[in-house]
Amino acid sequence: MRTIKVENQKGHEIVGEHLLQQIREGHLKPGQKLPSVVELAAAYGVGRSTIREAVSALKAMGWVDVRQGGGTYVKTVLPSEPRSGADLLFQGAESLIELLEVRKVLESGTASLAAERRTEQDLDRMRDALSQMEHGLKVNDTGEGERADVAFHMAIAAASGNSLLIQLMESLSDRLTDTIQKSRELWFYKEQSTAARLLTEHQMIFDAIERQDQEQAGARIAAHLTKVEQVLRSGLESESGRLPD
């Protein structure tokens, strides 16, 4: 596989674009296993977190499949292009606040369905994400916390058992990562006690889903996202004096 050296503030975007090019040109074939994170980091001259971000983006776009403990593989069936109308809709949502409004509507219903339909495997997936979030908090690793946060919300979508909802959340995942990253930058990791409250909110959502309390699951995730919106509004106003257009 041909690789390039990356020296850029947004290295994960360059790495992701190059890997995607390798797939499109057939250098990485459907079903083929990608080199390990360590090998890719060395090949591109970037940190492992940059590789993980690039791979996460490719996964969200439907180009690769990340298998727990088994590595990353090019999808056997590659996505068609151009991307779906849902993808274009979410990519065109310029405002983080508008995006959070979409998330509140979508995820409150998704959490309610997840509470009704979740399996033990679904719960294990959520527990793993919470455990990673807690570890990131302990070692003050914001990247791990962000990835675990996204994984938790995606696990809830998977537990809904609704393929369309899952596809919508996957289409939204890039922008979901943006809102989580921005909110943590603005507020959540300024002090440990605040980050701890964020973890508690996710644990409360999990508790409602585990108890199959549909009403509470939907209400708790809506309340959580409302708080995130408040944080973003406050932070964005302090940064620029106004909300983004």
Side-chain angles (χ1 to χ4, degrees):
M1 186 186 85
R2 295 181 290 111
T3 58
I4 57 175
K5 289 292 182 181
V6 175
E7 294 180 5
N8 191 288
Q9 188 175 5
K10 294 185 178 179
H12 67 279
E13 295 178 0
I14 295 177
V15 171
E17 288 172 4
H18 187 259
L19 287 172
L20 180 54
Q21 182 182 355
Q22 297 292 297
I23 296 172
R24 283 172 169 158
E25 294 179 354
H27 301 296
L28 291 171
K29 302 183 183 302
Q32 181 178 341
K33 185 177 181 180
L34 270 64
S36 70
V37 171
V38 174
E39 291 170 331
L40 287 172
Y44 285 104
V46 297
R48 297 180 190 180
S49 62
T50 298
I51 298 299
R52 292 191 185 99
E53 288 182 56
V55 170
S56 293
L58 290 173
K59 179 179 182 295
M61 294 163 61
W63 291 96
V64 301
D65 180 29
V66 180
R67 303 176 188 175
Q68 189 67 31
T72 301
Y73 293 78
V74 179
K75 283 279 192 180
T76 303
V77 178
L78 299 178
S80 58
E81 299 182 72
R83 299 182 65 196
S84 70
D87 290 340
L88 296 175
L89 170 65
F90 289 131
Q91 289 297 327
E94 296 296 331
S95 168
L96 291 174
I97 302 302
E98 286 184 353
L99 181 62
L100 275 167
E101 291 173 351
V102 172
R103 285 186 61 191
K104 277 192 286 186
V105 172
L106 182 62
E107 293 194 59
S108 59
T110 301
S112 179
L113 280 177
E116 177 187 6
R117 301 173 178 176
R118 95 289 184 278
T119 64
E120 282 303 315
Q121 185 177 7
D122 292 322
L123 294 177
D124 285 342
R125 187 175 170 186
M126 292 178 215
R127 289 189 189 100
D128 287 343
L130 289 173
S131 178
Q132 291 170 17
M133 200 181 301
E134 186 174 10
H135 181 263
L137 174 61
K138 287 180 179 178
V139 299
N140 199 26
D141 184 339
T142 58
E144 182 177 7
E146 289 164 10
R147 291 189 295 273
D149 203 329
V150 173
F152 180 77
H153 287 271
M154 296 303 293
I156 292 174
S160 74
N162 184 301
S163 61
L164 183 56
L165 278 175
I166 294 169
Q167 289 175 29
L168 285 170
M169 282 295 290
E170 288 176 345
S171 298
L172 185 57
S173 67
D174 283 350
R175 298 287 292 171
L176 172 63
T177 301
D178 288 343
T179 58
I180 287 174
Q181 183 178 35
K182 187 65 175 176
S183 60
R184 286 173 179 268
E185 286 175 357
L186 289 172
W187 188 56
F188 289 143
Y189 273 85
K190 286 185 178 179
E191 53 179 283
Q192 289 289 90
S193 61
T194 300
R197 287 200 298 274
L198 175 61
L199 175 62
T200 299
E201 288 182 11
H202 283 80
Q203 290 171 331
M204 290 175 63
I205 294 167
F206 171 79
D207 177 66
I209 293 174
E210 184 180 33
R211 290 187 289 104
Q212 296 191 293
D213 190 329
Q214 293 178 253
E215 183 176 353
Q216 280 296 306
R220 287 179 180 180
I221 204 164
H224 163 64
L225 292 173
T226 296
K227 289 181 182 179
V228 173
E229 180 182 350
Q230 292 169 350
V231 169
L232 283 172
R233 284 185 180 275
S234 175
L236 290 169
E237 287 170 351
S238 66
E239 279 190 349
S240 62
R242 64 179 179 86
L243 291 176
D245 295 329

